[in-house]
Amino acid sequence: MSVLLQVSDTHFGTEQAPVVEALAALAQQQQPALIVLSGDITQRARPAQFRAARAFVDRLGAPVLAVPGNHDIALFDLWARLRRPYARYSAAFGAELEPVYRTPELLLLCVNTTRPWRHKHGEISGPQVKRVAQLLERAEAAQLRVVVVHQPVAVTRDEDLSNRLRGHAAALERWAKAGADLIMGGHIHLPYVMPLQGLARPLWAVQAGTAVSSRLRSGVPNSVNLLRWGADSAPGCCRIEQWDFSVDKQAFWLAKITEVRPARA
């Protein structure tokens, strides 16, 4: 059984203490096998913010895989941004910017879509598309195949079109053929599960909201995603749970369930 907790856009430096404690309690209750941080871990890439983020995820009691977001590169320190853009991130979360996680039931591939010369927009290169596709093609039949990026590959609102990952169309076409099931992302602080159309096989975008930050979109609470694949889900089905923070309950609660069925030969 694989239970994966997706935590995105924590923006440490703007975190809310009650929400942080509620998320720690949720992780203790659900006991995920893996924590995925899909970028914007800090607000301004300051060392103290990275230390706070690292201390928090260490409380969650599971291995952590992370990708940087645009906020995890120093904005105002131009020397650091251009010469050592990932030094502070790497000090907290390791030098590997595109980690890979494998179990008999899960293949998770992280892709660094940030670029130091861009302010917020993400980009994916041809070599990155190729590397991920080659790993997907070698996946086992029983593995749920998940790619993690920061910026979204698909959006539900016209106002978010400019935030889509640059190069997403070519990446999705290649990754679908190679066997990807889910593309996880964040960046726009809006949770949803969206089927992607016109591809060689079924593929879904799984977006997470902001987990603990006060930087909320209007009408959208703090939220995280839990993914279940294996014994806790119907055979061949991936159960995607959206957990929202309730101000009244001071806790995360199960707000929505989406079930998807990845294609298998």
Side-chain angles (χ1 to χ4, degrees), residues 188-250:
I188 56 175
H189 299 194
L190 186 65
Y192 52 86
V193 178
M194 182 179 181
L196 303 175
Q197 307 296 330
L199 299 172
R201 61 194 298 281
L203 184 59
W204 290 266
V206 179
Q207 285 288 126
T210 176
V212 299
S213 174
S214 61
R215 299 178 75 243
L216 296 166
R217 289 184 74 140
S218 177
V220 182
N222 294 103
S223 69
V224 296
N225 292 330
L226 272 168
L227 276 67
R228 303 184 192 274
W229 172 255
D232 273 5
S233 187
C237 177
C238 177
R239 176 181 166 115
I240 304 168
E241 301 174 355
Q242 178 184 320
W243 289 72
D244 290 353
F245 178 74
S246 166
V247 175
D248 292 338
K249 299 176 182 177
Q250 290 291 285

Side-chain angles (χ1 to χ4, degrees), residues 6-70:
Q6 182 189 9
V7 176
S8 195
D9 297 272
T10 50
H11 288 279
F12 269 86
T14 66
E15 75 275 17
Q16 304 169 92
V19 189
V20 169
E21 294 307 312
L23 182 51
L26 177 67
Q28 184 177 16
Q29 176 194 57
Q30 296 294 326
Q31 296 290 301
L34 180 68
I35 311 290
V36 174
L37 300 180
S38 44
D40 280 358
I41 300 166
T42 66
Q43 174 63 7
R44 283 289 172 249
R46 293 178 177 137
Q49 294 171 357
F50 276 118
R51 288 195 296 270
R54 181 75 246 186
F56 170 67
V57 298
D58 285 345
R59 296 174 55 193
L60 301 184
V64 174
L65 260 71
V67 294
N70 51 291

Side-chain angles (χ1 to χ4, degrees), residues 16 29 35 62 77 81 98 120 125 146 148 165 191 208 218 242:
Q16 304 169 92
Q29 176 194 57
I35 311 290
D77 186 341
R81 185 176 185 87
E98 300 186 315
K120 65 176 183 176
S125 68
V146 182
V148 182
L165 181 64
S218 177
Q242 178 184 320

